[in-house]
Coordinates of all heavy atoms in Angstrom, one line a residue:
M1 N -7.4 -86.6 21.4 CA -8.1 -85.8 20.5 C -7.6 -84.4 20.6 O -7.3 -83.9 21.6 CB -9.6 -85.8 20.8 CG -10.4 -85.1 19.7 SD -12.2 -85.4 20.1 CE -12.6 -86.2 18.6
S2 N -7.5 -83.7 19.5 CA -7.0 -82.3 19.4 C -8.0 -81.3 20.1 O -9.2 -81.6 20.1 CB -6.8 -81.8 18.0 OG -5.8 -82.6 17.4
N3 N -7.4 -80.3 20.6 CA -8.2 -79.2 21.3 C -8.7 -78.3 20.2 O -8.0 -77.4 19.8 CB -7.4 -78.5 22.4 CG -8.3 -77.4 23.0 OD1 -9.4 -77.3 22.7 ND2 -7.7 -76.7 23.9
V4 N -9.9 -78.4 19.7 CA -10.4 -77.6 18.6 C -11.1 -76.4 19.2 O -11.7 -75.6 18.4 CB -11.4 -78.4 17.7 CG1 -10.6 -79.5 17.0 CG2 -12.5 -79.0 18.5
D5 N -11.1 -76.2 20.5 CA -11.7 -75.0 21.0 C -10.8 -73.7 20.8 O -11.2 -72.6 20.9 CB -11.9 -75.1 22.5 CG -13.0 -76.1 22.8 OD1 -13.9 -76.3 21.9 OD2 -13.0 -76.7 23.9
T6 N -9.6 -74.0 20.4 CA -8.7 -72.9 20.1 C -8.4 -72.8 18.6 O -8.3 -73.8 17.9 CB -7.3 -73.1 20.8 OG1 -6.7 -74.3 20.3 CG2 -7.5 -73.2 22.3
P7 N -8.4 -71.6 18.1 CA -8.2 -71.4 16.6 C -6.9 -72.0 16.1 O -6.7 -72.4 15.0 CB -8.1 -69.9 16.4 CG -8.9 -69.3 17.6 CD -8.6 -70.3 18.7
A8 N -5.9 -72.2 17.0 CA -4.6 -72.8 16.6 C -4.8 -74.2 16.1 O -4.0 -74.7 15.3 CB -3.6 -72.8 17.8
A9 N -5.8 -74.9 16.5 CA -6.0 -76.3 16.1 C -6.5 -76.4 14.7 O -6.4 -77.4 14.0 CB -7.0 -77.0 17.0
L10 N -7.1 -75.3 14.2 CA -7.6 -75.2 12.8 C -6.6 -74.6 11.9 O -6.0 -73.7 12.2 CB -8.9 -74.4 12.8 CG -10.1 -74.9 13.7 CD1 -11.2 -73.9 13.8 CD2 -10.6 -76.3 13.2
K11 N -6.6 -75.2 10.7 CA -5.6 -74.8 9.7 C -6.2 -73.9 8.6 O -5.5 -73.0 8.1 CB -4.9 -76.0 9.1 CG -4.2 -76.8 10.0 CD -3.6 -78.1 9.4 CE -2.9 -78.9 10.4 NZ -2.4 -80.2 9.8
V12 N -7.4 -74.1 8.3 CA -8.1 -73.4 7.2 C -9.4 -72.7 7.6 O -9.6 -71.5 7.4 CB -8.4 -74.3 6.0 CG1 -9.1 -73.6 4.9 CG2 -7.1 -74.9 5.4
L13 N -10.2 -73.5 8.3 CA -11.5 -73.0 8.7 C -11.4 -72.0 10.0 O -10.5 -72.2 10.8 CB -12.4 -74.1 9.1 CG -12.7 -75.1 8.0 CD1 -13.5 -76.3 8.5 CD2 -13.4 -74.5 6.8
T14 N -12.3 -71.1 10.0 CA -12.5 -70.3 11.2 C -13.3 -71.1 12.2 O -13.8 -72.2 11.9 CB -13.3 -69.0 11.0 OG1 -14.6 -69.3 10.6 CG2 -12.6 -68.2 9.9
R15 N -13.3 -70.7 13.5 CA -14.0 -71.4 14.5 C -15.5 -71.5 14.1 O -16.1 -72.6 14.3 CB -13.9 -70.7 15.8 CG -14.6 -71.4 17.0 CD -14.2 -70.7 18.3 NE -15.2 -71.0 19.4 CZ -15.3 -72.1 20.0 NH1 -14.5 -73.1 19.7 NH2 -16.2 -72.3 21.0
S16 N -16.1 -70.5 13.6 CA -17.6 -70.6 13.2 C -17.8 -71.5 12.0 O -18.8 -72.2 12.0 CB -18.1 -69.2 13.0 OG -17.5 -68.6 11.9
E17 N -16.9 -71.5 11.1 CA -17.0 -72.4 9.9 C -16.8 -73.8 10.4 O -17.5 -74.7 9.9 CB -15.9 -72.0 8.9 CG -16.2 -70.7 8.2 CD -14.9 -70.2 7.5 OE1 -13.8 -70.6 7.7 OE2 -15.1 -69.2 6.7
Y18 N -15.9 -74.0 11.3 CA -15.7 -75.4 11.9 C -17.0 -75.8 12.5 O -17.4 -77.0 12.4 CB -14.5 -75.3 12.9 CG -14.5 -76.5 13.8 CD1 -14.0 -77.7 13.3 CD2 -15.0 -76.5 15.1 CE1 -14.0 -78.9 14.1 CE2 -15.0 -77.6 15.9 CZ -14.5 -78.8 15.4 OH -14.5 -79.9 16.2
Q19 N -17.7 -75.0 13.3 CA -18.9 -75.3 14.0 C -20.0 -75.7 13.0 O -20.7 -76.7 13.3 CB -19.4 -74.2 14.9 CG -18.4 -73.9 16.1 CD -18.3 -75.1 17.1 OE1 -19.2 -75.9 17.2 NE2 -17.2 -75.2 17.7
I20 N -20.1 -75.0 11.9 CA -21.1 -75.3 10.9 C -20.8 -76.7 10.3 O -21.6 -77.6 10.2 CB -21.1 -74.3 9.8 CG1 -21.5 -72.9 10.3 CG2 -22.0 -74.7 8.6 CD1 -21.2 -71.8 9.3
L21 N -19.5 -76.9 9.9 CA -19.1 -78.2 9.3 C -19.3 -79.3 10.3 O -19.7 -80.4 9.9 CB -17.6 -78.1 8.8 CG -17.1 -79.4 8.1 CD1 -18.0 -79.7 6.9 CD2 -15.7 -79.1 7.7
K22 N -19.0 -79.1 11.5 CA -19.1 -80.2 12.6 C -20.6 -80.6 12.7 O -20.9 -81.7 12.8 CB -18.6 -79.7 13.9 CG -18.6 -80.7 15.0 CD -17.9 -80.2 16.2 CE -17.9 -81.3 17.3 NZ -17.1 -80.9 18.4
A23 N -21.5 -79.6 12.7 CA -23.0 -79.9 12.8 C -23.4 -80.6 11.5 O -24.2 -81.6 11.7 CB -23.7 -78.6 12.9
V24 N -23.0 -80.2 10.4 CA -23.4 -81.0 9.1 C -22.8 -82.4 9.2 O -23.6 -83.4 8.9 CB -22.9 -80.2 7.9 CG1 -23.1 -81.1 6.6 CG2 -23.5 -78.9 7.8
A25 N -21.6 -82.5 9.5 CA -21.0 -83.9 9.6 C -21.7 -84.8 10.6 O -21.8 -86.0 10.3 CB -19.5 -83.8 9.9
A26 N -22.1 -84.2 11.7 CA -22.7 -85.0 12.7 C -24.1 -85.6 12.2 O -24.5 -86.7 12.6 CB -23.0 -84.2 14.0
R27 N -24.7 -84.9 11.3 CA -26.0 -85.4 10.8 C -25.8 -86.3 9.6 O -26.5 -87.3 9.4 CB -26.9 -84.2 10.4 CG -27.3 -83.2 11.5 CD -27.8 -83.9 12.7 NE -28.9 -84.8 12.5 CZ -29.3 -85.7 13.4 NH1 -28.6 -85.9 14.5 NH2 -30.3 -86.5 13.1
M28 N -24.8 -86.0 8.8 CA -24.6 -86.8 7.6 C -23.7 -88.0 7.8 O -23.9 -89.0 7.1 CB -23.9 -85.9 6.5 CG -24.8 -84.8 6.0 SD -24.1 -83.8 4.7 CE -24.3 -84.9 3.3
V29 N -22.8 -88.0 8.7 CA -21.9 -89.1 8.9 C -21.8 -89.3 10.5 O -20.7 -89.2 11.0 CB -20.5 -88.9 8.3 CG1 -19.7 -90.2 8.3 CG2 -20.6 -88.3 6.9
P30 N -22.9 -89.7 11.1 CA -22.8 -89.8 12.6 C -21.9 -90.9 13.1 O -21.3 -90.7 14.2 CB -24.3 -90.0 13.0 CG -24.9 -90.6 11.8 CD -24.2 -89.9 10.6
A31 N -21.7 -91.9 12.3 CA -20.9 -93.0 12.7 C -19.4 -92.6 12.8 O -18.6 -93.2 13.6 CB -21.0 -94.2 11.8
A32 N -19.0 -91.6 12.1 CA -17.6 -91.2 12.2 C -17.2 -90.8 13.6 O -16.1 -91.2 14.1 CB -17.3 -90.0 11.2
G33 N -18.0 -90.0 14.2 CA -17.7 -89.6 15.6 C -18.0 -90.7 16.6 O -17.2 -90.9 17.5
V34 N -19.1 -91.4 16.4 CA -19.5 -92.4 17.4 C -18.6 -93.7 17.4 O -18.1 -94.1 18.4 CB -21.0 -92.8 17.2 CG1 -21.4 -93.9 18.2 CG2 -21.9 -91.5 17.4
R35 N -18.5 -94.2 16.2 CA -17.8 -95.5 16.0 C -16.3 -95.4 16.1 O -15.6 -96.2 16.6 CB -18.3 -96.2 14.8 CG -17.7 -97.6 14.6 CD -18.2 -98.3 13.4 NE -19.6 -98.5 13.5 CZ -20.4 -98.7 12.4 NH1 -19.9 -98.8 11.2 NH2 -21.7 -98.9 12.6
Y36 N -15.8 -94.3 15.4 CA -14.4 -94.2 15.2 C -13.7 -93.1 16.1 O -12.5 -92.9 16.0 CB -14.0 -94.0 13.8 CG -14.6 -95.0 12.9 CD1 -15.7 -94.8 12.0 CD2 -14.1 -96.3 12.9 CE1 -16.2 -95.8 11.2 CE2 -14.6 -97.3 12.1 CZ -15.6 -97.1 11.3 OH -16.1 -98.0 10.5
G37 N -14.5 -92.4 16.8 CA -14.0 -91.3 17.7 C -13.3 -90.2 16.8 O -12.4 -89.6 17.3
M38 N -13.8 -90.0 15.6 CA -13.1 -89.1 14.7 C -13.9 -87.7 14.7 O -15.1 -87.7 14.7 CB -13.2 -89.6 13.3 CG -12.6 -88.7 12.2 SD -12.9 -89.3 10.5 CE -12.0 -90.9 10.6
D39 N -13.1 -86.7 14.7 CA -13.6 -85.3 14.5 C -13.5 -85.1 13.0 O -12.5 -84.6 12.5 CB -12.9 -84.3 15.3 CG -13.5 -82.9 15.2 OD1 -14.2 -82.6 14.2 OD2 -13.2 -82.1 16.1
L40 N -14.6 -85.4 12.3 CA -14.6 -85.3 10.9 C -14.4 -83.9 10.4 O -13.6 -83.7 9.4 CB -15.9 -85.9 10.3 CG -16.0 -86.1 8.8 CD1 -14.9 -87.0 8.3 CD2 -17.3 -86.7 8.4
A41 N -14.9 -82.9 11.0 CA -14.7 -81.5 10.6 C -13.3 -81.1 10.8 O -12.7 -80.4 9.9 CB -15.6 -80.6 11.5
L42 N -12.6 -81.5 11.8 CA -11.2 -81.2 12.0 C -10.4 -82.0 10.9 O -9.4 -81.4 10.4 CB -10.7 -81.6 13.4 CG -9.3 -81.2 13.7 CD1 -9.1 -79.7 13.7 CD2 -9.0 -81.7 15.1
K43 N -10.7 -83.2 10.6 CA -10.0 -83.9 9.5 C -10.2 -83.2 8.2 O -9.2 -83.1 7.4 CB -10.6 -85.4 9.5 CG -9.9 -86.2 8.5 CD -8.5 -86.6 8.9 CE -7.9 -87.6 7.9 NZ -6.5 -87.7 8.2
I44 N -11.4 -82.8 7.9 CA -11.6 -82.1 6.6 C -10.8 -80.8 6.6 O -10.2 -80.4 5.6 CB -13.1 -81.8 6.4 CG1 -13.8 -83.1 6.1 CG2 -13.3 -80.8 5.3 CD1 -15.3 -83.0 6.2
D45 N -10.7 -80.1 7.7 CA -9.9 -78.8 7.8 C -8.4 -79.2 7.5 O -7.8 -78.4 6.8 CB -10.0 -78.2 9.2 CG -9.1 -77.0 9.4 OD1 -9.5 -76.0 8.8 OD2 -8.1 -77.1 10.1
S46 N -8.0 -80.3 8.0 CA -6.6 -80.7 7.8 C -6.3 -81.0 6.3 O -5.3 -80.6 5.7 CB -6.2 -81.9 8.6 OG -5.0 -82.4 8.4
I47 N -7.3 -81.7 5.7 CA -7.2 -82.0 4.2 C -7.2 -80.7 3.4 O -6.4 -80.6 2.5 CB -8.3 -82.9 3.8 CG1 -8.2 -84.3 4.5 CG2 -8.4 -83.0 2.3 CD1 -9.4 -85.2 4.3
F48 N -8.0 -79.7 3.8 CA -8.1 -78.5 3.0 C -6.8 -77.7 3.1 O -6.5 -77.0 2.2 CB -9.2 -77.6 3.6 CG -10.6 -78.0 3.2 CD1 -11.7 -77.4 3.8 CD2 -10.8 -79.0 2.3 CE1 -13.0 -77.7 3.4 CE2 -12.1 -79.4 1.9 CZ -13.2 -78.7 2.5
S49 N -6.0 -77.9 4.1 CA -4.7 -77.2 4.2 C -3.8 -77.6 3.1 O -2.8 -76.9 2.8 CB -4.1 -77.4 5.6 OG -3.7 -78.7 5.8
N50 N -4.0 -78.8 2.5 CA -3.2 -79.3 1.4 C -3.7 -79.0 0.0 O -3.1 -79.3 -1.0 CB -3.0 -80.8 1.5 CG -2.3 -81.2 2.8 OD1 -1.3 -80.6 3.2 ND2 -2.8 -82.2 3.5
L51 N -4.9 -78.3 0.0 CA -5.5 -78.0 -1.3 C -5.3 -76.5 -1.6 O -4.9 -75.8 -0.8 CB -7.0 -78.3 -1.3 CG -7.4 -79.8 -1.0 CD1 -8.9 -79.9 -0.8 CD2 -6.8 -80.7 -2.1
G52 N -5.6 -76.1 -2.8 CA -5.5 -74.7 -3.2 C -6.4 -73.8 -2.4 O -7.4 -74.2 -1.9
K53 N -5.9 -72.6 -2.3 CA -6.7 -71.5 -1.6 C -8.1 -71.3 -2.2 O -9.0 -71.0 -1.5 CB -6.0 -70.2 -1.6 CG -4.8 -70.2 -0.7 CD -4.1 -68.8 -0.7 CE -3.0 -68.8 0.3 NZ -2.3 -67.5 0.4
E54 N -8.2 -71.5 -3.5 CA -9.5 -71.3 -4.2 C -10.5 -72.3 -3.7 O -11.7 -72.0 -3.5 CB -9.4 -71.4 -5.7 CG -8.5 -70.3 -6.4 CD -7.0 -70.6 -6.3 OE1 -6.6 -71.7 -6.0 OE2 -6.3 -69.6 -6.4
F55 N -10.1 -73.5 -3.5 CA -11.0 -74.6 -3.1 C -11.5 -74.2 -1.7 O -12.7 -74.3 -1.4 CB -10.3 -76.0 -3.1 CG -11.3 -77.0 -2.7 CD1 -12.2 -77.6 -3.6 CD2 -11.3 -77.5 -1.4 CE1 -13.0 -78.6 -3.2 CE2 -12.2 -78.5 -1.0 CZ -13.0 -79.0 -1.9
G56 N -10.6 -73.9 -0.8 CA -10.9 -73.5 0.6 C -11.9 -72.3 0.6 O -12.8 -72.3 1.4
R57 N -11.6 -71.3 -0.2 CA -12.4 -70.1 -0.3 C -13.8 -70.5 -0.7 O -14.8 -70.1 -0.1 CB -11.8 -69.1 -1.2 CG -12.6 -67.8 -1.3 CD -12.3 -66.9 -2.5 NE -12.7 -67.7 -3.7 CZ -11.9 -67.8 -4.8 NH1 -10.7 -67.2 -4.8 NH2 -12.3 -68.4 -5.8
D58 N -13.9 -71.3 -1.8 CA -15.2 -71.7 -2.3 C -16.0 -72.6 -1.3 O -17.2 -72.4 -1.1 CB -15.1 -72.5 -3.6 CG -14.6 -71.6 -4.7 OD1 -14.6 -70.4 -4.6 OD2 -14.2 -72.2 -5.8
F59 N -15.3 -73.4 -0.6 CA -16.0 -74.3 0.4 C -16.5 -73.4 1.6 O -17.6 -73.7 2.1 CB -15.0 -75.4 0.9 CG -15.7 -76.4 1.8 CD1 -16.5 -77.4 1.2 CD2 -15.6 -76.3 3.2 CE1 -17.2 -78.3 2.0 CE2 -16.3 -77.3 4.0 CZ -17.0 -78.2 3.4
K60 N -15.7 -72.4 2.0 CA -16.1 -71.5 3.1 C -17.4 -70.8 2.7 O -18.3 -70.6 3.5 CB -15.0 -70.5 3.4 CG -13.8 -71.2 4.1 CD -12.8 -70.1 4.3 CE -11.7 -70.6 5.2 NZ -11.2 -69.5 6.1
I61 N -17.5 -70.4 1.4 CA -18.7 -69.7 1.0 C -19.9 -70.6 1.0 O -21.0 -70.3 1.5 CB -18.5 -69.1 -0.5 CG1 -17.5 -68.0 -0.4 CG2 -19.8 -68.7 -1.1 CD1 -17.0 -67.6 -1.8
L62 N -19.7 -71.9 0.6 CA -20.7 -72.9 0.7 C -21.2 -73.1 2.1 O -22.4 -73.2 2.4 CB -20.2 -74.2 0.1 CG -21.2 -75.4 0.1 CD1 -22.4 -75.1 -0.7 CD2 -20.5 -76.6 -0.4
L63 N -20.3 -73.2 3.1 CA -20.6 -73.4 4.5 C -21.5 -72.3 5.0 O -22.5 -72.5 5.6 CB -19.4 -73.5 5.4 CG -18.6 -74.8 5.3 CD1 -17.4 -74.7 6.2 CD2 -19.5 -75.9 5.8
V64 N -21.2 -71.0 4.7 CA -22.0 -69.9 5.1 C -23.3 -69.9 4.4 O -24.4 -69.7 5.1 CB -21.2 -68.5 4.8 CG1 -22.1 -67.4 5.1 CG2 -20.0 -68.4 5.7
F65 N -23.4 -70.2 3.2 CA -24.6 -70.3 2.4 C -25.5 -71.4 3.0 O -26.7 -71.2 3.2 CB -24.3 -70.6 1.0 CG -25.5 -70.6 0.1 CD1 -26.2 -69.5 -0.2 CD2 -25.9 -71.8 -0.5 CE1 -27.3 -69.5 -1.1 CE2 -27.0 -71.8 -1.4 CZ -27.7 -70.7 -1.6
F66 N -24.9 -72.5 3.4 CA -25.6 -73.7 4.0 C -26.1 -73.3 5.4 O -27.3 -73.6 5.7 CB -24.7 -74.9 4.1 CG -25.4 -76.1 4.4 CD1 -25.9 -76.9 3.3 CD2 -25.6 -76.6 5.7 CE1 -26.6 -78.0 3.6 CE2 -26.3 -77.8 5.9 CZ -26.8 -78.5 4.8
E67 N -25.3 -72.6 6.2 CA -25.7 -72.2 7.5 C -26.9 -71.2 7.5 O -27.9 -71.4 8.3 CB -24.6 -71.5 8.2 CG -24.9 -70.8 9.5 CD -25.1 -71.8 10.7 OE1 -25.4 -73.0 10.5 OE2 -24.9 -71.3 11.8
Y68 N -26.9 -70.3 6.6 CA -28.0 -69.2 6.6 C -29.0 -69.4 5.5 O -29.9 -68.6 5.4 CB -27.3 -67.9 6.4 CG -26.5 -67.5 7.6 CD1 -25.1 -67.6 7.6 CD2 -27.1 -66.9 8.7 CE1 -24.3 -67.3 8.7 CE2 -26.3 -66.6 9.8 CZ -24.9 -66.8 9.8 OH -24.2 -66.4 10.9
G69 N -29.0 -70.5 4.7 CA -29.9 -70.7 3.6 C -31.2 -71.4 4.0 O -32.1 -71.5 3.1
A70 N -31.4 -71.8 5.2 CA -32.6 -72.5 5.6 C -33.9 -71.8 5.3 O -34.8 -72.4 4.9 CB -32.5 -72.9 7.1
P71 N -34.0 -70.5 5.6 CA -35.3 -69.8 5.3 C -35.6 -69.9 3.8 O -36.8 -70.0 3.5 CB -35.0 -68.4 5.7 CG -34.0 -68.5 6.8 CD -33.1 -69.6 6.3
I72 N -34.6 -69.9 3.0 CA -34.8 -69.9 1.5 C -35.1 -71.3 1.0 O -36.0 -71.6 0.2 CB -33.6 -69.3 0.8 CG1 -33.5 -67.8 1.2 CG2 -33.8 -69.4 -0.7 CD1 -32.1 -67.2 0.8
F73 N -34.3 -72.3 1.4 CA -34.4 -73.6 0.9 C -35.2 -74.6 1.7 O -35.6 -75.6 1.2 CB -33.0 -74.2 0.7 CG -32.2 -73.4 -0.3 CD1 -31.2 -72.5 0.1 CD2 -32.5 -73.4 -1.7 CE1 -30.5 -71.7 -0.8 CE2 -31.8 -72.6 -2.6 CZ -30.8 -71.8 -2.1
G74 N -35.3 -74.3 3.0 CA -36.0 -75.3 3.8 C -37.2 -74.7 4.6 O -37.9 -75.5 5.3
F75 N -37.5 -73.5 4.4 CA -38.6 -72.8 5.1 C -38.5 -73.0 6.6 O -39.5 -73.2 7.2 CB -40.0 -73.2 4.5 CG -40.1 -72.9 3.0 CD1 -40.1 -73.9 2.1 CD2 -40.3 -71.6 2.6 CE1 -40.2 -73.5 0.7 CE2 -40.4 -71.2 1.3 CZ -40.3 -72.2 0.3
I76 N -37.3 -73.0 7.1 CA -37.0 -73.1 8.5 C -36.3 -71.8 8.8 O -35.3 -71.5 8.3 CB -36.1 -74.4 8.8 CG1 -36.8 -75.7 8.3 CG2 -35.8 -74.4 10.3 CD1 -35.9 -76.9 8.4
F77 N -36.8 -71.1 9.8 CA -36.3 -69.8 10.1 C -35.3 -69.8 11.2 O -35.5 -69.1 12.2 CB -37.4 -68.8 10.3 CG -38.2 -68.6 9.0 CD1 -39.3 -69.4 8.7 CD2 -37.8 -67.7 8.0 CE1 -40.0 -69.3 7.5 CE2 -38.5 -67.6 6.8 CZ -39.6 -68.4 6.6
K78 N -34.3 -70.6 11.0 CA -33.2 -70.8 12.0 C -31.9 -71.0 11.2 O -32.0 -71.5 10.0 CB -33.4 -72.0 12.9 CG -34.6 -71.9 13.8 CD -34.6 -73.2 14.7 CE -35.8 -73.2 15.5 NZ -35.9 -74.5 16.3
R79 N -30.8 -70.7 11.8 CA -29.5 -71.2 11.2 C -29.4 -72.7 11.4 O -30.0 -73.2 12.3 CB -28.3 -70.4 11.8 CG -28.4 -69.0 11.6 CD -27.1 -68.3 12.1 NE -26.5 -68.9 13.2 CZ -25.9 -68.3 14.2 NH1 -25.9 -67.0 14.3 NH2 -25.4 -69.0 15.2
F80 N -28.6 -73.3 10.5 CA -28.5 -74.8 10.6 C -28.0 -75.2 12.0 O -28.5 -76.2 12.6 CB -27.5 -75.3 9.5 CG -27.4 -76.8 9.5 CD1 -28.4 -77.5 8.9 CD2 -26.3 -77.4 10.1 CE1 -28.3 -78.9 8.9 CE2 -26.2 -78.8 10.1 CZ -27.2 -79.5 9.5
T81 N -27.0 -74.5 12.5 CA -26.5 -74.9 13.8 C -27.4 -74.6 15.0 O -27.1 -75.1 16.1 CB -25.1 -74.2 14.1 OG1 -25.3 -72.8 14.0 CG2 -24.0 -74.6 13.1
Q82 N -28.5 -73.9 14.8 CA -29.5 -73.7 15.8 C -30.7 -74.6 15.7 O -31.6 -74.6 16.6 CB -29.9 -72.2 15.8 CG -28.8 -71.3 16.1 CD -29.3 -69.8 16.0 OE1 -30.2 -69.5 15.3 NE2 -28.6 -68.9 16.7
M83 N -30.7 -75.4 14.7 CA -31.9 -76.3 14.5 C -31.7 -77.5 15.4 O -30.6 -77.9 15.7 CB -31.9 -76.8 13.0 CG -32.2 -75.8 12.0 SD -32.1 -76.6 10.4 CE -32.0 -75.1 9.4
N84 N -32.8 -78.2 15.7 CA -32.8 -79.4 16.4 C -32.5 -80.5 15.4 O -32.5 -80.3 14.2 CB -34.0 -79.7 17.2 CG -35.3 -79.9 16.3 OD1 -35.2 -80.6 15.3 ND2 -36.4 -79.2 16.7
P85 N -32.1 -81.7 15.8 CA -31.7 -82.8 14.9 C -32.7 -83.1 13.8 O -32.4 -83.3 12.6 CB -31.4 -84.0 15.8 CG -31.0 -83.4 17.1 CD -31.8 -82.1 17.2
E86 N -34.0 -83.1 14.2 CA -35.1 -83.4 13.2 C -35.1 -82.3 12.1 O -35.3 -82.6 10.9 CB -36.4 -83.5 13.9 CG -36.5 -84.7 14.8 CD -35.8 -84.5 16.2 OE1 -35.6 -83.4 16.6 OE2 -35.5 -85.5 16.8
E87 N -35.0 -81.0 12.5 CA -35.0 -79.9 11.6 C -33.8 -80.0 10.7 O -33.9 -79.8 9.5 CB -35.1 -78.6 12.3 CG -36.4 -78.3 13.0 CD -36.3 -77.1 13.9 OE1 -35.2 -76.8 14.5 OE2 -37.3 -76.4 14.1
Q88 N -32.6 -80.3 11.2 CA -31.4 -80.5 10.4 C -31.6 -81.6 9.4 O -31.2 -81.4 8.2 CB -30.2 -80.8 11.3 CG -29.8 -79.6 12.1 CD -28.7 -79.9 13.1 OE1 -28.5 -81.1 13.5 NE2 -27.9 -78.9 13.5
D89 N -32.2 -82.7 9.8 CA -32.4 -83.8 8.8 C -33.4 -83.4 7.7 O -33.1 -83.7 6.6 CB -32.9 -85.0 9.6 CG -31.9 -85.7 10.4 OD1 -30.7 -85.4 10.2 OD2 -32.3 -86.5 11.3
R90 N -34.4 -82.7 8.1 CA -35.4 -82.2 7.1 C -34.7 -81.2 6.1 O -34.9 -81.3 4.9 CB -36.6 -81.6 7.8 CG -37.7 -81.3 6.8 CD -39.0 -80.9 7.5 NE -38.9 -79.5 8.0 CZ -39.1 -79.2 9.3 NH1 -39.4 -80.1 10.2 NH2 -38.9 -77.9 9.7
Y91 N -33.9 -80.3 6.6 CA -33.2 -79.4 5.8 C -32.2 -80.1 4.8 O -32.1 -79.8 3.7 CB -32.5 -78.4 6.7 CG -31.7 -77.3 5.9 CD1 -32.3 -76.5 5.0 CD2 -30.3 -77.1 6.2 CE1 -31.6 -75.5 4.4 CE2 -29.6 -76.1 5.6 CZ -30.2 -75.3 4.7 OH -29.5 -74.3 4.0
L92 N -31.5 -81.1 5.4 CA -30.5 -81.8 4.6 C -31.3 -82.6 3.5 O -30.8 -82.7 2.3 CB -29.7 -82.8 5.4 CG -28.7 -82.2 6.3 CD1 -28.1 -83.2 7.3 CD2 -27.5 -81.6 5.5
S93 N -32.4 -83.2 3.8 CA -33.2 -83.9 2.8 C -33.6 -83.0 1.7 O -33.7 -83.4 0.5 CB -34.5 -84.5 3.5 OG -34.1 -85.5 4.4
G94 N -33.9 -81.7 2.0 CA -34.3 -80.8 1.0 C -33.1 -80.5 0.0 O -33.4 -80.3 -1.2
W95 N -31.9 -80.6 0.4 CA -30.8 -80.5 -0.5 C -30.6 -81.7 -1.4 O -29.9 -81.5 -2.4 CB -29.5 -80.3 0.3 CG -29.3 -78.9 0.8 CD1 -29.9 -78.3 1.9 CD2 -28.6 -77.8 0.2 NE1 -29.6 -77.0 2.1 CE2 -28.7 -76.7 1.0 CE3 -27.8 -77.7 -0.9 CZ2 -28.1 -75.5 0.8 CZ3 -27.2 -76.5 -1.2 CH2 -27.3 -75.4 -0.3
E96 N -31.2 -82.8 -1.1 CA -31.0 -84.0 -1.9 C -31.9 -83.9 -3.2 O -31.6 -84.6 -4.2 CB -31.4 -85.2 -1.1 CG -30.5 -85.5 0.0 CD -30.9 -86.7 0.8 OE1 -32.0 -87.3 0.5 OE2 -30.2 -87.1 1.8
R97 N -32.9 -83.1 -3.1 CA -33.8 -83.0 -4.3 C -33.3 -82.2 -5.4 O -32.5 -81.4 -5.5 CB -35.2 -82.4 -3.8 CG -35.8 -83.3 -2.9 CD -37.2 -82.8 -2.4 NE -37.4 -83.3 -1.1 CZ -37.9 -82.6 -0.1 NH1 -38.3 -81.3 -0.3 NH2 -38.1 -83.1 1.0

């Protein structure tokens, strides 16, 4: 597995953006890491390196919005990466509506 603790392992995302995406992926697609040993966030970062800069920029904005939007959209006064798994699931369910 790649060493994602260093920024060199990431092609598009910053370390903090990677941490947000990793937390979201762990809740939305838990089997990717458990069953297949895949770092889905790192895989998505690799895919983004082949897409246009506009897409990467827009996705980065979405990640920050998702990380800090909990007080507005979920009435949870924490960042997504600071929530416990139950709070993360409740917040994600709110986005489905």
Side-chain angles (χ1 to χ4, degrees):
M1 186 175 243
S2 299
N3 182 3
V4 294
D5 291 333
T6 60
L10 299 171
K11 297 177 181 177
V12 176
L13 300 174
T14 65
R15 182 171 160 74
S16 62
E17 292 163 344
Y18 164 79
Q19 293 298 331
I20 298 165
L21 184 56
K22 186 174 181 174
V24 172
R27 299 312 305 158
M28 294 183 75
V29 193
V34 175
R35 184 176 298 159
Y36 303 109
M38 178 188 297
D39 184 337
L40 189 56
L42 187 60
K43 182 68 174 171
I44 291 170
D45 177 73
S46 177
I47 292 168
F48 284 172
S49 70
N50 295 318
L51 300 175
K53 288 184 179 182
E54 295 81 18
F55 182 83
R57 182 196 66 226
D58 292 347
F59 189 78
K60 289 174 166 218
I61 292 168
L62 177 63
L63 283 176
V64 171
F65 186 69
F66 195 84
E67 171 77 338
Y68 293 99
I72 298 167
F73 299 105
F75 300 107
I76 302 169
F77 295 93
K78 296 179 184 175
R79 294 186 333 218
F80 183 80
T81 54
Q82 294 177 335
M83 294 178 197
N84 65 45
E86 293 78 22
E87 291 169 327
Q88 289 176 335
D89 288 343
R90 191 170 72 235
Y91 181 55
L92 288 169
S93 292
W95 279 82
E96 293 176 0
R97 294 182 210 140

